[in-house]
Amino acid sequence: MRGRGWNTDFFNGSIRTLRIVTGHLGAEVPIQESDIRALASMRADLQGARVINYLRLRGLLAAQPPTDLCIARARHQATAIARPAFSTAVHTFIDVLLGQGSTSSRARSPKTVENYVGAILGTLEAWIADGLTDPREITRKHIEGVLDPLRGDQARRLHTALRSFFRALKRERLVFRDPARSVSLTSSRSVPTALPSDRIAGLLDRLDDPRDRLMVALVAIYALLPGQLAHLRRTDLDRSKGRLRLRRAGRMDHVIYLDAFTLRLATAWEVQRYGRWPDSSNPYFFVTRNTAVDDSGPPISAGVVQLIFQRVGLPAGSLRVDRIVDEARHSADPVRLMELFGLSNLSATRYVLSAHPDKKNDPIAP
């Protein structure tokens, strides 16, 4: 325990779990990971994460296949639908979103899959309650009927999810026509705005931990997304050249060039990480005391990133938008925003128009 940098003062729950498991099952054959997790979920004074890591190191763990909780929840929701035709359709929709349909496509993130299924679930159940038995019975009027009462983000989320749902069913030939194809939604789009300067002043002074300071700096200076922070890998940073690679699914990687200040923060974090967990095999750049010693090598959770910015008092998304708007005010060049922050041409144009409302949205205008 001490060799892996663990605090032995908090191991009573893990030792208790190990004692119960070995007392009932013995240690002659590998122990099922699912049994340990089931036991740890029964009582608050039982802990299983470090027991699993320990047994894995000792060769005494029968690991269960990795499953994503978001996908598991989406599958469970699909199975719970009363009508078999709708249940099958949602399972097919999940397959398509994961890139496992009859035609290969880019896989969406597990969280996106769960959000899409959750967005359409209430609407499908309402249609079932109205007597519909098959997605092929749904018409454009049904879709317009559920969208009419909704406004703002709620309407946009449902509209996007329904269009994606019926597009997937049409491609997999579960419906003859796509009833959502011609349904449009008129909605206002919010304009990116900068934060007041007094809210940003002394931002890093509110943090002491090198990891937290580096995370905030990467968002405040280079406008990284919280998901990009969580999935940075140790090999993505090239300190000798001052470059950081951002991996983007389905797109070319984006490379940013770090200034001397950010490089010093990165060095301070790497020194601290190696000093605390010299034997850590986690491939991700940012770790916590739990993920650093987890031999399965998971990334940090979104909650960890959110907690850091809660302590700062600013959401990561707002801080990122402020940085891009500030750059747009100085350059007024969409191409520069695309190069610096990896934005699409449409997003870069929106930021420039937000910072310079007097400019026309016309690339050839004088």
Side-chain angles (χ1 to χ4, degrees):
M1 295 176 184
R2 297 187 183 93
R4 296 179 69 84
W6 293 345
N7 189 336
T8 57
D9 296 336
F10 300 99
F11 266 78
N12 291 336
S14 298
I15 294 173
R16 189 178 297 112
T17 301
L18 182 62
R19 185 184 300 118
I20 295 173
V21 168
T22 54
H24 281 271
L25 302 178
E28 288 76 20
V29 296
I31 299 171
Q32 295 291 331
E33 181 179 347
S34 57
D35 290 340
I36 302 171
R37 295 189 183 278
L39 175 63
S41 66
M42 294 176 64
R43 287 167 27 194
D45 61 342
L46 297 177
Q47 300 168 0
R50 289 191 175 96
V51 174
I52 290 172
N53 284 325
Y54 172 72
L55 293 176
R56 183 186 289 115
L57 290 174
R58 301 289 297 179
L60 291 173
L61 180 73
Q64 63 186 24
T67 57
D68 188 279
L69 292 178
C70 293
I71 300 300
R73 285 191 290 264
R75 292 290 187 187
H76 177 73
Q77 290 175 330
T79 304
I81 297 177
R83 295 290 182 180
F86 279 95
S87 179
T88 300
V90 176
H91 277 296
T92 302
F93 181 40
I94 295 173
D95 291 338
V96 172
L97 292 176
L98 294 175
Q100 300 170 2
S102 59
T103 304
S104 61
S105 59
R106 180 171 68 90
R108 303 289 182 175
S109 70
K111 188 60 180 176
T112 299
V113 175
E114 183 185 14
N115 289 341
Y116 272 30
V117 172
I120 66 173
L121 196 62
T123 300
L124 297 183
E125 290 175 344
W127 285 335
I128 293 173
D130 290 340
L132 299 182
T133 60
D134 195 288
R136 288 176 289 186
E137 300 174 1
I138 297 171
T139 64
R140 175 177 175 173
K141 289 185 177 180
H142 288 106
I143 297 176
E144 290 176 340
V146 298
L147 290 176
D148 282 344
L150 304 180
R151 295 292 181 272
D153 290 340
Q154 189 178 12
R156 283 194 294 272
R157 281 195 296 268
L158 180 57
H159 180 247
T160 301
L162 286 175
R163 290 195 63 178
S164 180
F165 175 64
F166 284 105
R167 190 184 304 120
L169 298 189
K170 179 68 166 56
R171 196 176 76 175
E172 298 300 311
R173 300 184 179 181
L174 291 185
V175 297
F176 300 119
R177 65 189 184 284
D178 181 356
R181 181 177 181 179
S182 58
V183 177
S184 60
L185 186 68
T186 303
S187 60
S188 60
R189 184 181 292 271
S190 60
V191 177
T193 56
L195 292 169
S197 58
D198 58 339
R199 294 190 64 187
I200 304 176
L203 201 63
L204 294 182
D205 296 338
R206 307 172 200 173
L207 300 170
D208 297 323
D209 188 78
R211 183 200 65 184
D212 299 350
R213 289 168 60 86
L214 177 58
M215 280 188 176
V216 173
L218 289 175
V219 174
I221 300 174
Y222 301 100
L224 264 67
L225 292 164
Q228 291 174 326
L229 291 176
H231 290 88
L232 280 176
R233 294 179 175 268
R234 302 183 74 176
T235 55
D236 292 339
L237 175 64
D238 186 345
R239 286 199 297 123
S240 63
K241 297 181 180 179
R243 297 190 304 190
L244 183 66
R245 180 177 64 165
L246 303 179
R247 304 168 188 260
R248 303 187 295 183
R251 303 170 60 190
M252 291 182 60
D253 293 344
H254 178 59
V255 177
I256 60 177
Y257 295 87
L258 305 179
D259 62 322
F261 173 73
T262 309
L263 278 174
R264 287 197 298 271
L265 293 178
T267 301
W269 160 238
E270 287 192 313
V271 169
Q272 184 195 54
R273 170 175 172 157
Y274 181 79
R276 293 187 63 182
W277 307 289
D279 299 328
S280 174
S281 59
N282 192 303
Y284 290 99
F285 186 63
F286 292 112
V287 295
T288 65
R289 64 181 183 183
N290 292 324
T291 64
V293 298
D294 192 332
D295 294 301
S296 63
I300 61 175
S301 66
V304 171
V305 181
Q306 292 172 359
L307 185 60
I308 293 171
F309 286 89
Q310 284 175 6
R311 291 203 298 268
V312 172
L314 287 173
S318 300
L319 193 59
R320 176 179 185 269
V321 169
D322 178 84
R323 173 65 182 96
I324 301 175
V325 170
D326 181 71
E327 186 65 36
R329 285 174 176 169
H330 288 83
S331 66
D333 183 2
V335 176
R336 176 168 175 79
L337 299 185
M338 294 166 65
E339 293 175 347
L340 282 178
F341 308 116
L343 302 177
S344 66
N345 57 345
L346 293 178
S347 295
T349 303
R350 281 186 58 224
Y351 278 104
V352 170
L353 293 177
S354 171
H356 302 275
D358 56 311
K359 290 185 175 293
K360 294 182 179 181
N361 188 11
D362 186 352
I364 62 174

